[in-house]
Each structure stands twice: as structure tokens, then as C-alpha cells.
Amino acid sequence: MNTMNSSTPKWNLIIDIDRCNNCNNCVLAVKDEHVGNDFPGYAAPQPLHGHHWLEMKRAEHGQAPIVDIVNLPTLCNHCDDAPCVKVGQGAVKKRDDGIVLIDPQAARGRRDLVDACPYGAVWWNEELQLPQHWIFDAHLLDQGWKAPRCAQACPTEAIRAVKVSDAEMAALAAEQGLEVLKPELGTRPRVHYRNLKRFTHWVLAGSVVTLRDGVEECIEGAEVTLSHAGQVVARAVTDAFGEYRLRDLPNVARRYELQVGHRHRTAAGQDVNLVGSATLQALRLSPD
Amino acid sequence: PDGSRRFTQVTNGGPLFVYVKDGRILRVTPIEFDDAEDAPSWAMPARGQVFRPQRRANVAPHALAVKSTVYSDQRLLYPMKRVDFDPSQPPGQRNEANRGVSGYERISWEEALDIVAGEILRMKREHGPGAIATYHSSHHQWGNVGYYLSALMRFGNAIGVTRVALNPDSWEGWYWGAMHHLGNSFRLGSPTNYGTLQDCLEECELIIFWSSDPESQFGTYGGQDGGQRRLWGKQLGMQFVHINPHYCPTAGMMGGKWMPIRPGTDNALAIAIMQVWIAEDLYDRDFVARRTTGFDEWRAYVMGDSDGIPKTPEWQEAETGIPARDVRALARLWAKKKTYLAPGVRGSGLGGACRGANGTQWARAMILLMAMRGWGRPGVNFGNLQGGTPVDLHFYFPGYAEGGISGELNQTAAAANNYTRMPHLVSVNPVTQTIPRQRLPEAILEGQAEGYPLDPSSIEGQFRRTIYPAPGYSKVKMLYRYGGSSFGTIGESGRFVAMYQSPNLEFVVNQSIWDEGEAKFADIILPACTQFERDDIGEWGNAGGFGLHMQEQLNHRVIAMQHQCIEPLGESKSDYQIFWDICKRLGLGTYFSEGMTELDWCRRVFDSTDLPKHVSWRQFLKKGYFVVPPAPAGLRPPRDMQWYLDGRQKDVPEPYPLPGAYSSKYGEGLQTQTGKIEFVSSSLKRFDPESPDRPPLNRYIPAWESPHTEHGVNYPLQLITPHQRFSFHTMSDGKDSAIKDIRDHRVWKDGHFWWILRISPADAAARGIAHHDLVEVFNDRGTVICAADLTATLPAGVLHSFESCATYEPLGVPGESPDIGGCMNLLTPKRQQVAKTASTAAMTAQVQVRRWAGELPPER
Ligand SMILES: Nc1nc2c(c(=O)[nH]1)N[C@H]1C(S)=C(S)[C@@H](COP(=O)(O)OP(=O)(O)OC[C@H]3O[C@@H](n4cnc5c(=O)[nH]c(N)nc54)[C@H](O)[C@@H]3O)O[C@H]1N2
Ligand SMILES: Nc1nc2c(c(=O)[nH]1)N[C@H]1C(S)=C(S)[C@@H](COP(=O)(O)OP(=O)(O)OC[C@H]3O[C@@H](n4cnc5c(=O)[nH]c(N)nc54)[C@H](O)[C@@H]3O)O[C@H]1N2
Ligand code: SF4
Ligand code: SF4
Ligand code: SF4
Ligand SMILES: [Ca+2]
Ligand SMILES: [Ca+2]
Ligand SMILES: [Mo+4]
């Protein structure tokens, strides 16, 4: 249970997925900090290979030639209601500043902690017989560093670290539309994502064309609507290449109706049975 | 507080703080600026906002992997001798054919240096001048003292060597092609970015990335300062188009329209765009009339008046795979919007497309496209927000191409600044014989080779034919290889195995940091240390020479002392020290060194620059770095080509072209014969008017290796091999580096980190290949085993894999068995793009793929 005062400033990470270019600076900064380095009381050395304390995940939406590539940096969420803390029985501690630490001494041999984490954020160090995770670079913050290494190394400021009270963080989250991973677990992560739906949700894309004087042309400004069970769930207007992207669709298989209209063309429609992100064949509108 | 000491360094990926504790590197981090001490940043107002760069130097990922490469288990720690190499035996009896096969034994530095010095003298006595060749690669650890253009050049001149000459591998199509329409020979035929950041942020509405992926190639040495600026462009609502067979990471980040063009067909697309502009009267007639020549002839070709084939969007569709409707839409959008054209990583040159069979055609087309758009108008220029920042270009600090301590006035840009500001002993190579790097195996094996030089001083420099052997010189009998990257970086690189195993090479010495690549083919190995183990001094991103002012891709100019952070590992030594030790044995010790340590040289470099006006040597040594204040408002360079558009004297701060190269009054017009952008090139007309593959008029000529040529019969897939993202060429790959764990760099499977082959789901399905299956990629030239990465970022028919792996690991006999190291260049052609050049076309290759059914290597 989290018994800390909610006005104490605590560490949080805010990751804006839309700013991430998948450069892996964050991944390498974490490796640079921890591989071969021992920080007693905080973390034992990370093995050279195989551990991804900060792990990049990739989502590809659609098919050539209309695709969305989205990258998701994931790491220990420093949950406020952390299963690892519960299972750890003292081997995992929650600090007053929100950081969760797996004690590199007390946790020796505790393979169960790997399974305790519902995020797959705990890595097993075979050589040291130790469960390990990303420690928010608590050892550096305690020395006065202003941010953990992954945030410092991120060139696009996709990762930012903030030390604020829980109330302030809640306000930030509401204001910026931040989400956390697997909120349904109730773990209350301290890693917050912006634009998370870009990763988790589906995209339906396509293009609209027509024949003009016998020549095939892209249609700009066509209005595309996607409906499910009579309800419009997404809208878009085609660009100069006649392309549209309907983003943030729920990630469940569904039957949709796609409608395309244009001032000077006859409207057309198509049923779409969506089972994942998809790119449709060009839809052809005929002149009025 | 943790007992560490903080040093500074500069790498190919940017400057670093290096924290050292107990004689070991603890960590490396980007440099965050100190608001109290460091110069302020510029601020750029545009469209009602003010844009300010982050207060730090953003590095490339490979910079953050350096610690793992310093402490790599592949470090060469002792001098070594091939076990069956006996220098007392005469050539022919030294088991030359076992190079690459036999193992090594540790020897002392005394013995190693005696053997090398002894062989140098024997070569001269027994064979005469020219018998010793030095061979280095294109890149190097950063710095002005230890660089190959510095210490190695001085050493080579001191002993007299045949140079293995580099081709303009980064520029190819620009150098051999675009230059003939634009001039700009000192830029190897590419345009510049001066002043374009302001213009682009203020005016630009559309950026066309054409073979351009700056979020992966980071501008060449530019770290990641550019990403923030590209996100400004996105925030301002600019539109983006990506013409690239691969939906690259830049496309992923910026979004926009992807045109997955078939590799090598870009010129057809470009010509069709111009056809729409002419047919629909959408081009800048005024610019074409005033600032270009030859347009009538060009129009006649484009419209089909001269050959009966109108080059319409429909005409290009079969070649490029791009629907005609998309080409029309692009041509019209381009004409409607103020547009930046962005070829290559810096938006102004390079680009994978310039390194394929049709590289010259593509780069030439880029210039012609801009000639129809009124290049230089507000919002109409080359660039992708990677360049044109208002850093102060007047502050002097040398770039590596200025030759450091070499004293070489012809092969480096020393004469322009460095030599006069830092007087040091001139050095001259008494041997003028050269071998083009791309032809080195043939030169050794067949005893002859032809080349065309990388000579930026004039357009015609590239027309001078060189032959090997040069009259009266000895053929090369001894190879002094510095580094060992060729298997990963040169077309049809399997050729190097036969070369190394040839008895024509009586002696091979390799001076390297890591036991990889060609190091395993030497008779004697000399272990060099990394830049963290010796002193140097350098400026981030400052190349000098034909990369003059490359720092304008950075938000801040950062100059740093490259401290020796730790003692050299094992018995390794700095390259400088190794050369010095050899020179001592030849009586050249003081001639080479001027009696100075590397730290002494750093001091001399420091004194030659503008740094002492701002900071003392002691302060600089202590703090480690200096941020150059941005250019004052009045001294920011104007955007390039506005002067040209207006018909004024050139007003951007580059001393190019040479005064004698103008055909108008000094400073007026371009370097071309007519002084204008030439739709039909006069220099190519003078050189070879009937050339079938590089005609003065840039016709579309289908590539000599494609799905439609004989290569496509058994090998239907087009493989592209762009520059790898997480390593700087071979420099961070292999070596048990941390980047091995990056999921998009290598894939761990069955006890091995496999190189990645990206493949479309359709091509994979047709071959029964699943994600991360091991596959063999092959053609007549070789076989490489990779892990397949099924990705929507490629269209069917095109494969993507990176060039420049560090390791060559043949499963059996070198040169004849599949490689599991990842040397995709085993599969690429050695042929040059067009005749009478020394160019690589390694971006082009037809291959086939199937699941690997053979045996796996034993687990490591
Ligand atoms: N298929 C394909 N091939 C390509 C390209 C492509 O696009 N596609 N691109 C081409 C281009 S543009 C380039 S620039 C080339 C690059 O190709 P190379 O220049 O061959 O590759 P590098 O990795 O830069 O080679 C540098 C070598 O020098 C060594 N070295 C570095 N610093 C030091 C030092 O301080 N001391 C010593 N002793 N050795 C050192 C390194 O270990 C390495 O062996 O690749 C080309 N090849
Ligand atoms: N991380 C990293 N950065 C580097 C380097 C590195 O090794 N690693 N190397 C540096 C060096 S030496 C250089 S020269 C520059 C090179 O910089 P560039 O030449 O700009 O980079 P490339 O990766 O060769 O090519 C860029 C893009 O061209 C695309 N492309 C390939 N073939 C074609 C084609 O036929 N048509 C079209 N339209 N596109 C095509 C590729 O998919 C790729 O996305 O990068 C520099 N920066
Ligand atoms: S993410 Fe996993 S390891 Fe981290 S605090 Fe939550 S439950 Fe524990
Ligand atoms: S450093 Fe930033 S931009 Fe790069 S991969 Fe990590 S989060 Fe993404
Ligand atoms: S002062 Fe010395 S270095 Fe300068 S020009 Fe005179 S002799 Fe040369
Ligand atoms: Ca994105
Ligand atoms: Ca020392
Ligand atoms: Mo290059």
C-alpha cells in the first residue's frame, strides 16, 4: 500500500511517443550506465548482452505504401501499487520519491520477482542470480542529477523526467492526455505516455482516386467517414495524394462501414472487416 | 561526488563527457551546457514564434556505445605475428596463401617494429619506389593530431608510399554527375545549406525527402541536433514527401506521403515530374530563361520531340513502380507550395541513390529539378532542416581535412589555413603512384588498374586518367593496412580474400584497434589504442576541406580537448607513437615528430586557432570544451543561391570556386563553362560527348543491374544497403558492442547476433520465411546469412540491409563460404556507375533469398 504523502515531490517519466525516432540513445545510455558498473545499494552490474532494462517496442500499422511506424520505449514503471513490492517482502522497496528499488543484496535468488512484474520489466541476471530492473538512475538523482540518463540522452525530448507531487502529476496527465500501460491492473505506474494510442490502437488508411479525361487522378478534399453500428467513429479528409489515415481505432476486430464523399463526385462506400491496422486499395470515385 | 573525474572527448557521433573512476571509464554522456559559463544559444523568430535549440549537444547512438567498444573483447592488446610467417624467409616462402586462415602468436614491440622497419627498407632496396602502399579507410576516430590525414599522412610521406586513393564514396553521383550541371567542384558537385534554416522555418511549406534519412545518418558527424529542428517543421504544419524504397525512420517520425520507388529508377520519376511542369506550364520560366542554358534541348527530350517518347507520368510508372497519378499530384503540389528539395542526409548531397548504378543520373536530376523551380527564391531551396543554422563560421578552428600535423600541402586542405597558422615541417611524398581503392584487389592480383582522381579543385580534375603501375615505379609488394573495414564497405568485397592470399604481396602489416575484418589477413598486427587512451583536440562535426562549414548542421559549435582518459589497454599504443617508433628505426624520428608528444601538438593546434582569444590553454585543458557564441545578427550567412537568382556577386562565406574557374567576372555566376546551371553539360561535351552512360544530356538510362537485366533472372530481388543507423560504418558494430542488443541492429538467435535483412511480408510469404528466420541472401558473388525482419516499410521486390558490418565470419574457407558476420557488400557489384570514373555502385544488387537450411555455427 502506498502510504506516502501525496504532496511529496516524486519522480515520474513522461514519454511522448510521437517525438520518438527510435534512435535508441535511451537504450544505450542505460547500458552505458549499468553494464560493468556496480552501484551498491542501488543496482548490481547489468550483463553486457540480453537485458533490456529499457526496451524498445515497434508497431507497424498498415501496408506499403501507407504505413505508420510507432516506437514505444518501455521500462520499469515504478508503480505505486507495485506487485513486485508485494511479492518482494522487503527485497523490493518503494522510496519516498516514488522510485522502486530491487535490493541487489536482499533479492538474490528471487527469480519469482521476474514473474511478479506484469510488465516484463524485471530481467534475470543468471550470473549474479539476481532480478534486475531500470532503477530510474536513483543513484544519480541522489547525487543531484536532474534527470535519469535516458532522458538526458534523448535528442527529441521524447522522454522527460519530472519531480512533482502526485496532485501536480495528475493535473499534468489530465492536461496532456497522458496514459499508462495496462491501467486495468491498478498498479499505478509512474511512467506516463503521450499519444499512446498511436501504438496500441489501429489505423485504417487508404486513398481515393478518380478518372478525369481518361487520366487517373488523386482526389484531394474527399471526406472519409468510418462508422460502426450506425455510429461515426472516425473522420478524415484526403490530402493532395488522395490519402487518408483514420487513427486511434479501437484494437478489437470489428465490422465498419467506410463512406467517401466529394463535392464533385458520386459518393462511394465499402464494408471493412477490420482485424488489425490495414491499408485499403485505392477507392475510385466516378464523376457526378 | 562518486569519486569520478570528468574528461571530454569528441567522436564521429558528437562530443562527450567521459567520467573516469579508478582508471576506468565509468560512463559517457552528452555535454549539457552550463548557463553561467557557456555561450548563449541563438534564437530564431519565424512565423510568429521564436525557436531556441536545446542547451546541449545531442549525440548519435553510436557515440553512446563507445565505452563498450573501448573495453571490447576484440581489442588487439599485443603485437602479433602470423604463426607461419617468417620474415627471414624469402617472399614466396612465407605461406602467403594462409593469410586469413592461420592463427597468430604474441611478439614483443621490439620484434614487431624491427620487422616492419626492416621490410620497409627491404622494399625500397629490392623493388624501388612505389613498392610500399598505405591503405586507410574513409573515416577515423575524431581529432586533428591522430587522424589519418594527419599522423598517417606524415608517416607515409616520410617513408614514400603508393597511396591507395579514396573515391568520393559519399558523394559519387554528385561528383561524377551533378557537378557537370552545377559546378561546385570543391563541394564535390553538391549544393550548400548556408542560411537556409531561417528561410525554411519562415517560408517553406513542403519538404521532399529524396533518398534522405537524416534521423538515421545524423548528417554525417552531426549527432542528433537536427531532429529537434525537423520537429519544429512538423509543428509549423509543413508537409512531407519521402521518395525512398524504404519507409525510413525519418519518414516514420515526420509522416507524410511515401513513394516507395524502385531503387535506381529515380531519374525516370524526376523527368516525368518535369514533363508535368512543362505540359502544364508550372515551372519558373523567368529563372530558366535568365539563369540556365540548354533548356530547349532538354525540353525536346522531356516532351519527346527529339526521340518520339513523351516522358509522362505513365511512361515512368513501369520503371519506378510509382502510380502516374501520384507523380502528377506531386508535380502540382511541388509547383503550388514553397518547397525544399532534400536529397541525401543533409538535404544537399549524399543520399543512397547517389551510390547506385544510376547514381550520377539521380544527382544530376536533383539539380535540374531545382533549376525549373527558381532555386533561391524564398522558401525554395535544398535542405531538410539539417543545415543552415546561424553558428559563427568566422571563428577559426581546423577541420580534419586540413591535415593536422601532416605538413602535406597537396592531399589535404592544409595550405588554406592550417599550415600558415601552425607552421610545421612540410612533408612531401616522393612517390606519385596511386591505386584507386575500389580497384586494389585487381591492382595486386592482375598487376594493373586504372583510375580517375578525387580532385576537387576543378570540374576537369576528375577527367585525368591515372594508371597503375605508374611509369617507372615498382608494383606494390608491401601493404601497410591501417584499419580493416573493406569486407563490410567495398563492392564485391570477397575480392579482398584472394588479394591478401596472393604471393604478389610479400608483406602485409595491419595497424588496427580491433581484431576484425582485414586484421585477420596480416603477417604482422600492430595494436593501436582508441582515442580515449591518447590526447587529441577537435571540433564536433568540423570536417574542413570539401566538408567546409559542416558545423552549420549543429545548433552550437563545440570545440573540445580530447583528453587521454585512461592508459592504453594492454600493450596497445597510439598510432602516432607507433609511427614515431618505426621512424626512429629509420633515422626519421625527429623529422616525423619534431620532438613533440601528442599533447604538445594539441597545444600547437590550440594556439593556431581563435580559441586563445577567449580561453587560456590551462582553462581549456581543465574545462575541456568551449561553446562558440552564435554569429551576431549581421554576420549570419544569407541563404545560398539568392545571390545567383538575383544575378549578384556570390555572398555566402565559402572561398569556392577558385578565382580562375569563373567564366564571368570573379564571384559572378557558377563554375560551369557558361556560368549558369546547364541543362546540357558543357564539361561532359568537352570530355566525352558520345558517352553512352554519362551523356551531356541526362537521359534516363535503365540501370545495368536490375530485375530487367540478366542479373534479375536468377536473382529477382533488389537489395539496397544504406548506411547503418546505430554504428558509424564499421566503427561501433561487432566488437561485442552494446549496439548488438539493439533490436533493429542485430538479432540474437541460436547463440549468435545475426545481421538483419528487411523483407516485405509478401516476399517473405512467397518464400515461406517467418519473422526472425535465418535466411541466406545470395547471388553469384557470395552468400550472407541474416535474420529476416518482416516489415511493412518495404514494398515487395525490394530488400533492405545495412552496409558496413565490422565482422567477416566465413563459415568455412574464406572467400568461398557463406558469411555470418553480415558483410552485405560481398553481394554488391565492383562495377563502377559509369565508365571513366572511379565510383562505387554498391547500393545496387540483385539477389535471391531463401531460408537457411545449412548447419549453424557452434555457439559462441
Ligand atoms: N553497399 C554500400 N557500401 C558502401 C556505402 C553504401 O552506401 N552502400 N557507403 C560507402 C561510404 S559513403 C563510405 S564513407 C564507406 C565507408 O567505408 P570505410 O571507410 O571502409 O569504413 P569505416 O568503418 O569508416 O573504416 C574505418 C576503419 O578505420 C579504422 N580506424 C578508425 N580509427 C582508427 C584509428 O584511430 N587508428 C587505426 N589504426 N584505425 C582506425 C576502423 O577500425 C575501420 O577499420 O562505405 C562505403 N560503402
Ligand atoms: N549512423 C550513421 N550515420 C552516418 C554514417 C553511418 O555509417 N552511420 N555514415 C556517414 C557517411 S560516411 C555518409 S556518406 C552519410 C550517407 O548519408 P546518405 O547517403 O544520405 O545515407 P544512405 O543511408 O546511404 O541513404 C539514404 C537513403 O537512401 C535510400 N535509398 C537507397 N537507394 C535508393 C534509390 O535508389 N532511390 C531512392 N530514392 N532512395 C534510395 C535509403 O533507403 C536510405 O534511406 O551518412 C553519414 N552518417
Ligand atoms: S513495472 Fe514491474 S518491476 Fe517496475 S515497479 Fe511495476 S511491477 Fe515492479
Ligand atoms: S532516445 Fe528518445 S527518441 Fe531516441 S529512441 Fe529513446 S525515446 Fe526515442
Ligand atoms: S613570422 Fe615566421 S611563420 Fe610567419 S611568415 Fe614570417 S617566417 Fe613565416
Ligand atoms: Ca511517428
Ligand atoms: Ca600516459
Ligand atoms: Mo561516406
Side-chain angles (χ1 to χ4, degrees), chain B residues 660-692:
Chain B
Y662 284 96
S663 50
S664 322
K665 272 205 247 172
Y666 177 65
E668 289 178 9
L670 302 175
Q671 190 187 354
T672 55
Q673 185 179 333
T674 58
K676 295 187 176 174
I677 302 177
E678 298 183 342
F679 276 95
V680 186
S681 161
S682 37
S683 43
L684 289 179
K685 259 190 200 160
R686 267 182 275 121
F687 178 58
D688 191 1
E690 303 304 327
S691 167

Side-chain angles (χ1 to χ4, degrees), chain B residues 101 117 218 358 387 390 416 551 659 695 832:
Chain B
V101 180
F218 313 118
N358 275 350
Q551 310 98 303
Q832 22 216 11

Side-chain angles (χ1 to χ4, degrees), chain A residues 19 21-25 28 31-33 35 37 39 48-50 52 55 58 60 62 64-65 67 69 140 143 145 149 151-157 209 215-218 240-241 243 245 282, chain B residues 1-2 26-29 32 54 56 58-61 64 67 215 224 231 247 253 256-260 325-326 328-330 332-333 725-726 736-737 741-744 753 789-793:
Chain A
R19 295 184 75 88
N21 68 9
N22 188 31
C23 70
N24 279 263
N25 267 18
L28 292 168
K31 285 193 165 290
D32 180 75
E33 186 64 27
V35 171
N37 287 338
F39 301 109
L48 178 53
H49 297 303
H52 297 254
E55 181 168 34
R58 171 178 92 187
E60 297 190 342
V67 293
I69 302 300
L140 296 176
Q143 288 173 43
W145 284 53
R149 297 237 7 224
Q152 185 199 36
C154 176
T156 62
E157 293 175 301
V209 305
V215 178
E216 196 176 59
E217 302 273 12
C218 305
F241 298 94
E243 290 185 357
R245 283 173 160 97
Chain B
D2 63 0
L26 181 67
R27 70 173 65 89
V28 300
T29 75
E32 290 182 298
Q54 298 168 32
R56 66 177 177 210
N58 288 298
V59 301
L64 292 171
K67 190 180 83 182
E215 297 303 326
Q224 297 204 65
L231 289 173
Y247 195 72
M253 180 171 98
K257 170 69 179 171
W258 175 31
M259 295 190 158
R325 61 172 190 268
D326 282 351
R328 279 208 175 79
L330 175 61
R332 290 173 191 153
L333 189 69
R725 195 171 189 211
F726 303 106
D736 227 9
S737 153
D741 274 308
I742 293 179
R743 295 259 162 81
D744 289 322
F753 281 102
D789 183 323
L790 273 58
T791 176
T793 60

Side-chain angles (χ1 to χ4, degrees), chain B residues 60-377:
Chain B
H62 42 86
L64 292 171
V66 285
K67 190 180 83 182
S68 67
T69 66
V70 170
Y71 295 113
S72 157
D73 63 356
Q74 298 297 302
R75 276 290 298 272
L76 292 163
L77 297 176
Y78 310 101
M80 308 229 260
K81 186 182 81 62
R82 179 163 56 83
V83 286
D84 48 1
F85 166 73
D86 180 353
S88 69
Q89 292 298 314
Q93 293 173 36
R94 296 171 163 198
N95 298 305
E96 289 88 344
N98 288 350
R99 293 187 185 124
V101 180
S102 300
Y104 290 85
E105 62 194 19
R106 182 174 165 182
I107 56 174
S108 69
W109 269 111
E110 281 299 306
E111 191 183 347
L113 294 167
D114 285 347
I115 292 173
V116 174
E119 286 291 299
I120 287 173
L121 293 177
R122 186 179 70 79
M123 287 294 145
K124 297 191 185 200
R125 276 195 314 269
E126 288 186 10
H127 302 296
I132 309 164
T134 47
Y135 174 23
H136 58 78
S137 303
S138 301
H139 304 281
H140 199 272
Q141 302 187 98
W142 206 250
N144 275 275
V145 177
Y147 214 88
Y148 72 74
L149 285 159
S150 181
L152 171 63
M153 191 71 91
R154 192 177 176 94
F155 170 72
N157 286 356
I159 63 175
V161 293
T162 294
R163 279 207 181 96
V164 178
L166 299 186
N167 47 303
D169 45 16
S170 312
W171 287 265
E172 300 295 6
W174 299 90
Y175 182 74
W176 309 105
M179 187 193 297
H180 297 296
H181 300 277
L182 177 66
N184 273 18
S185 69
F186 268 104
R187 299 275 180 199
L188 306 191
S190 58
T192 81
N193 292 316
Y194 288 115
T196 50
L197 179 62
Q198 177 79 65
D199 178 55
C200 190
L201 286 179
E202 192 77 74
E203 303 279 349
C204 175
E205 299 164 305
L206 168 69
I207 299 181
I208 299 173
F209 292 85
W210 198 322
S211 189
S212 174
D213 181 12
E215 297 303 326
S216 294
Q217 282 80 38
F218 313 118
T220 312
Y221 315 132
Q224 297 204 65
D225 270 5
Q228 181 190 18
R229 299 193 298 265
R230 271 180 291 279
L231 289 173
W232 291 342
K234 197 173 168 181
Q235 179 191 327
L236 285 171
M238 291 180 195
Q239 282 177 265
F240 309 104
V241 171
H242 307 274
I243 305 175
N244 194 324
H246 182 218
Y247 195 72
C248 62
T250 301
M253 180 171 98
M254 306 298 285
K257 170 69 179 171
W258 175 31
M259 295 190 158
I261 192 164
R262 288 195 192 121
T265 64
D266 300 81
N267 193 24
L269 172 60
I271 294 169
I273 290 169
M274 292 188 253
Q275 196 272 343
V276 176
W277 289 342
I278 297 173
E280 302 185 7
D281 196 12
L282 294 175
Y283 65 99
D284 189 332
R285 282 170 174 272
D286 175 59
F287 187 93
V288 166
R290 288 188 305 111
R291 310 309 290 147
T292 74
T293 62
F295 185 68
D296 290 344
E297 204 182 322
W298 178 245
R299 189 212 341 244
Y301 167 73
V302 172
M303 302 312 285
D305 301 342
S306 49
D307 64 359
I309 306 172
K311 313 299 178 304
T312 62
E314 285 71 19
W315 163 81
Q316 64 82 51
E317 186 167 323
E319 289 295 314
T320 64
I322 306 294
R325 61 172 190 268
D326 282 351
V327 178
R328 279 208 175 79
L330 175 61
R332 290 173 191 153
L333 189 69
W334 193 337
K336 193 164 86 183
K337 303 268 178 193
K338 285 186 254 180
T339 301
Y340 264 57
L341 174 59
V345 58
R346 286 203 292 278
S348 59
L350 314 193
C354 89
R355 250 166 263 118
N358 275 350
T360 55
Q361 288 182 49
W362 171 72
R364 296 174 69 180
M366 294 299 105
I367 301 300
L368 302 186
L369 283 165
M370 286 302 286
M372 290 183 70
R373 295 260 50 93
W375 182 3
R377 283 192 289 129

Side-chain angles (χ1 to χ4, degrees), chain B residues 561-621:
Chain B
M561 180 64 200
Q562 302 184 201
H563 294 117
Q564 179 183 358
C565 304
I566 54 171
E567 288 300 315
L569 299 194
E571 288 183 3
S572 67
K573 293 184 187 193
S574 72
D575 293 298
Y576 177 84
Q577 190 63 48
I578 297 172
F579 294 138
W580 192 356
D581 290 347
I582 293 172
C583 282
K584 283 178 196 162
R585 284 166 167 73
L586 303 172
L588 288 166
T590 308
Y591 173 75
F592 173 77
S593 67
E594 299 188 24
M596 312 234 303
T597 65
E598 287 151 288
L599 186 60
D600 296 332
W601 280 111
C602 291
R603 173 76 199 258
R604 261 167 93 175
V605 171
F606 174 90
D607 285 339
S608 77
T609 71
D610 284 340
L611 280 173
K613 294 176 194 161
H614 299 261
V615 55
S616 74
W617 171 241
R618 290 179 70 88
Q619 287 167 320
F620 181 71
L621 271 186

Side-chain angles (χ1 to χ4, degrees), chain A:
Chain A
M1 247 0 275
N2 175 20
T3 55
M4 278 167 273
N5 188 330
S6 71
S7 66
T8 320
K10 296 176 201 158
W11 285 103
N12 301 270
L13 221 51
I14 302 179
I15 303 182
D16 184 349
I17 290 176
D18 236 17
R19 295 184 75 88
C20 174
N21 68 9
N22 188 31
C23 70
N24 279 263
N25 267 18
C26 50
V27 171
L28 292 168
V30 172
K31 285 193 165 290
D32 180 75
E33 186 64 27
H34 290 285
V35 171
N37 287 338
D38 190 12
F39 301 109
Y42 296 94
Q46 180 185 123
L48 178 53
H49 297 303
H51 278 212
H52 297 254
W53 294 5
L54 195 165
E55 181 168 34
M56 292 299 302
K57 294 181 176 152
R58 171 178 92 187
E60 297 190 342
H61 299 289
Q63 292 85 37
I66 312 182
V67 293
D68 259 12
I69 302 300
V70 189
N71 307 291
L72 182 74
T74 62
L75 21 59
C76 170
N77 286 296
H78 294 273
C79 311
D80 278 348
D81 264 326
C84 63
V85 174
K86 283 179 208 144
V87 173
Q89 295 170 324
V92 188
K93 292 210 175 68
K94 180 88 180 172
R95 309 193 333 169
D96 287 349
D97 61 0
I99 294 175
V100 171
L101 284 185
I102 302 179
D103 188 310
Q105 291 298 329
R108 221 161 264 267
R110 295 291 303 275
R111 215 188 170 114
D112 57 327
L113 290 177
V114 174
D115 305 323
C117 174
Y119 296 98
V122 180
W123 300 82
W124 183 246
N125 186 326
E126 190 63 45
E127 196 192 330
L128 303 178
Q129 291 292 302
L130 198 64
Q132 298 185 289
H133 70 145
W134 175 68
I135 63 163
F136 216 117
D137 291 341
H139 64 303
L140 296 176
L141 301 177
D142 289 353
Q143 288 173 43
W145 284 53
K146 296 196 173 54
R149 297 237 7 224
C150 57
Q152 185 199 36
C154 176
T156 62
E157 293 175 301
I159 304 184
R160 287 188 306 126
V162 293
K163 194 177 186 187
V164 293
S165 73
D166 287 347
E168 286 168 306
M169 190 60 229
L172 269 179
E175 183 188 310
Q176 301 184 4
L178 304 181
E179 295 172 271
V180 297
L181 295 177
K182 304 190 184 176
E184 67 278 8
L185 300 180
T187 54
R188 301 182 32 228
R190 307 200 74 84
V191 176
H192 310 264
Y193 292 91
R194 198 170 177 175
N195 295 309
L196 183 60
K197 290 195 173 61
R198 292 273 183 283
F199 187 87
T200 53
H201 283 45
W202 292 351
V203 182
L204 178 65
S207 56
V208 183
V209 305
T210 192
L211 270 188
R212 192 180 292 149
D213 304 330
V215 178
E216 196 176 59
E217 302 273 12
C218 305
I219 290 264
E220 184 175 7
E223 284 149 16
V224 183
T225 48
L226 189 72
S227 314
H228 169 67
Q231 296 274 10
V232 173
V233 291
R235 290 175 191 281
V237 176
T238 58
D239 64 14
F241 298 94
E243 290 185 357
Y244 62 87
R245 283 173 160 97
L246 301 161
R247 292 196 169 102
D248 300 350
L249 303 176
N251 48 9
V252 284
R254 259 188 199 169
R255 188 167 278 284
Y256 290 98
E257 196 188 342
L258 184 79
Q259 276 292 331
V260 179
H262 187 268
R263 278 168 296 153
H264 308 299
R265 312 279 138 174
T266 314
Q270 166 177 359
D271 281 346
V272 183
N273 195 9
L274 212 60
V275 293
S277 290
T279 301
L280 300 178
Q281 297 287 320
L283 200 87
R284 190 179 291 233
L285 294 189
S286 40
D288 267 341

